[in-house]
Amino acid sequence: MDSKEIYQDSSGRGKKVARIISIAVITIVALMVVSSCFYSINEQTNGVVTQFGKVISVNTAGFYFKAPWQSVRKVDVTTHGTSIGYMIENDTQKGSYPVDEENAIMITSDFNLLNIDFYIEYRVSDPVAYLYNAEDPEGILKNVAMANIRNVVSNYTVDEAMTTGKSQIQSDIKKDIMASLDAQNVGLSLVNITIQDSRPPVESVVSAFKAVETAKQGADTAMNQALQYRNQQIPSAEASADAIVQRASAYKESRIAEAEGQVARFNDMYEEYKKYPLVTKRRMFYEKMEEILPGMKVVITDGDTQTMLPLESFTESAEDGTESPEDVTAATDSESAQ
């Protein structure tokens, strides 16, 4: 084999190898491109799909396909939290929490200074607005929150801001922040805002304010207990009153019925009396005697001899201290002699 044939053979093998490498590279690139077209979105995020800078869709949890010239930006839509203002310092961990001195101090309606710590919970409600309407949505949220917090706190006294007015302050601030976020349209929504702690900036009066807050909470507790006791006693008293009224009504009805019966009986007796006065009078006398005589002792005497009815035992008379027939006879004789 001459040198020309050897050169042609090696040249052919080189072209074949180059062709294989080119095919392999193209295949790998194609696989990479195709694999990049598939993407998944979990339950904690939303996917914003754009094409040449224009938003074409917002995807929730699932598995999706996109064209190679399209791009996807994932946005976390779970609830996040941040603290604004004065941070709580625990006695056991003094200094373990930072103090935001710049945003800590608030002024109240009675021109007192107060350190208040708010905890804000928020989430992304509009992924498109969150990505493209503002460069720093969280910063805007913080500024909006601080402005509304200061505005609302300035409407309350220091006493209200530390004790009884906390719930109303939280409600007013939440309403104002939500309205401001809707106007700003930065894609964020407020979930909740709570007051973590509030205290005067001067340590010497902290204990006094805490004592006032404790006393007011005790007063509220006592009032609630009194209202609860009242609500328990009123139904019981009403039930007792109803029972008394019912018993009185029943007694009245029974007395009326009894009186009416007696009147009817008297009228019947009177009608019989008008017909036979003497007979009716004797019958009434005998009936009354039948009621009276069984419980009485009757002494029958002719002046000399006496008889007691009913007859009783002499022993029983002596034991119970009553007079025997002989004693009665002696007493009667003595009276007759006199």
Side-chain angles (χ1 to χ4, degrees):
M1 182 179 294
D2 56 12
S3 59
K4 183 177 181 180
E5 292 177 350
I6 295 173
Y7 175 76
Q8 290 177 350
D9 184 56
S10 60
S11 176
R13 284 199 298 269
K15 290 181 179 180
K16 184 183 292 185
V17 170
R19 188 180 302 110
I20 293 172
I21 292 174
S22 299
I23 293 173
V25 170
I26 292 172
T27 302
I28 292 172
V29 172
L31 290 174
M32 292 177 62
V33 170
V34 171
S35 63
S36 65
C37 293
F38 293 95
Y39 65 96
S40 61
I41 304 296
N42 58 34
E43 295 180 353
Q44 287 77 36
T45 59
N46 283 172
V48 179
V49 182
T50 58
Q51 178 175 278
F52 306 122
K54 181 180 180 180
V55 177
I56 59 175
S57 66
V58 177
N59 299 324
T60 57
F63 191 73
Y64 299 93
F65 174 82
K66 67 177 183 64
W69 55 86
Q70 295 175 343
S71 61
V72 179
R73 295 183 65 179
K74 297 180 179 181
V75 179
D76 187 354
V77 293
T78 58
T79 301
H80 299 272
T82 183
S83 183
I84 295 180
Y86 178 77
M87 303 291 290
I88 302 173
E89 293 185 359
N90 294 339
D91 294 335
T92 56
Q93 297 179 342
K94 190 71 173 177
S96 60
Y97 298 96
V99 178
D100 187 0
E101 295 290 351
E102 181 180 355
N103 297 320
I105 298 178
M106 311 282 176
I107 187 168
T108 60
S109 62
D110 52 356
F111 303 104
N112 282 295
L113 299 179
L114 194 65
N115 283 335
I116 306 181
D117 169 33
F118 289 89
Y119 187 76
I120 293 180
E121 295 175 279
Y122 66 94
R123 66 180 183 86
V124 176
S125 57
D126 186 348
V128 176
Y130 176 78
L131 290 175
Y132 301 106
N133 287 5
E135 182 177 356
D136 183 14
E138 282 81 3
I140 293 175
L141 170 63
K142 185 173 182 179
N143 291 333
V144 167
M146 283 304 307
N148 286 281
I149 287 172
R150 292 186 183 278
N151 183 54
V152 171
V153 172
S154 65
N155 296 327
Y156 291 84
T157 64
V158 65
D159 191 33
E160 293 171 336
M162 292 186 61
T163 55
T164 58
K166 286 184 177 180
S167 298
Q168 188 60 43
I169 290 174
Q170 292 174 173
S171 177
D172 293 346
I173 292 175
K174 183 177 181 179
K175 180 180 64 176
D176 292 349
I177 292 177
M178 292 175 65
S180 298
L181 288 177
D182 290 341
Q184 294 288 337
N185 192 25
V186 294
L188 294 177
S189 64
L190 183 67
V191 177
N192 195 25
I193 182 168
T194 55
I195 297 177
Q196 297 288 84
D197 188 35
S198 59
R199 63 173 62 184
V202 182
E203 292 296 331
S204 60
V205 297
V206 170
S207 59
F209 273 97
K210 290 293 183 183
V212 171
E213 181 177 1
T214 302
K216 290 198 172 184
Q217 291 176 352
D220 292 339
T221 301
M223 182 176 294
N224 292 333
Q225 291 175 348
L227 292 175
Q228 182 180 4
Y229 178 77
R230 185 194 69 176
N231 294 334
Q232 291 174 349
Q233 292 300 314
I234 287 177
S236 177
E238 290 177 347
S240 299
D242 291 339
I244 293 172
V245 170
Q246 292 175 2
R247 287 197 300 268
S249 298
Y251 180 73
K252 180 187 74 173
E253 296 298 330
S254 65
R255 294 295 294 173
I256 291 174
E258 181 181 357
E260 290 176 348
Q262 292 178 354
V263 169
R265 187 166 55 253
F266 178 82
N267 291 332
D268 293 340
M269 188 179 298
Y270 180 67
E271 293 298 328
E272 294 296 325
Y273 178 80
K274 289 193 299 183
K275 294 177 182 178
Y276 310 100
L278 181 60
V279 174
T280 304
K281 186 184 298 184
R282 286 180 178 178
R283 181 174 60 81
M284 293 174 62
F285 175 77
Y286 294 149
E287 289 177 354
K288 182 57 68 177
M289 288 298 102
E290 287 178 355
E291 295 178 4
I292 296 174
L293 289 178
M296 299 180 61
K297 293 179 181 179
V298 180
V299 178
I300 302 173
T301 179
D302 58 358
D304 296 329
T305 305
Q306 296 182 358
T307 302
M308 178 176 289
L309 298 176
L311 296 177
E312 295 182 351
S313 171
F314 293 104
T315 306
E316 292 179 357
S317 299
E319 288 178 354
D320 60 13
T322 59
E323 293 181 340
S324 64
E326 289 77 1
D327 295 335
V328 175
T329 302
T332 304
D333 295 341
S334 175
E335 292 175 359
S336 300
Q338 292 176 359

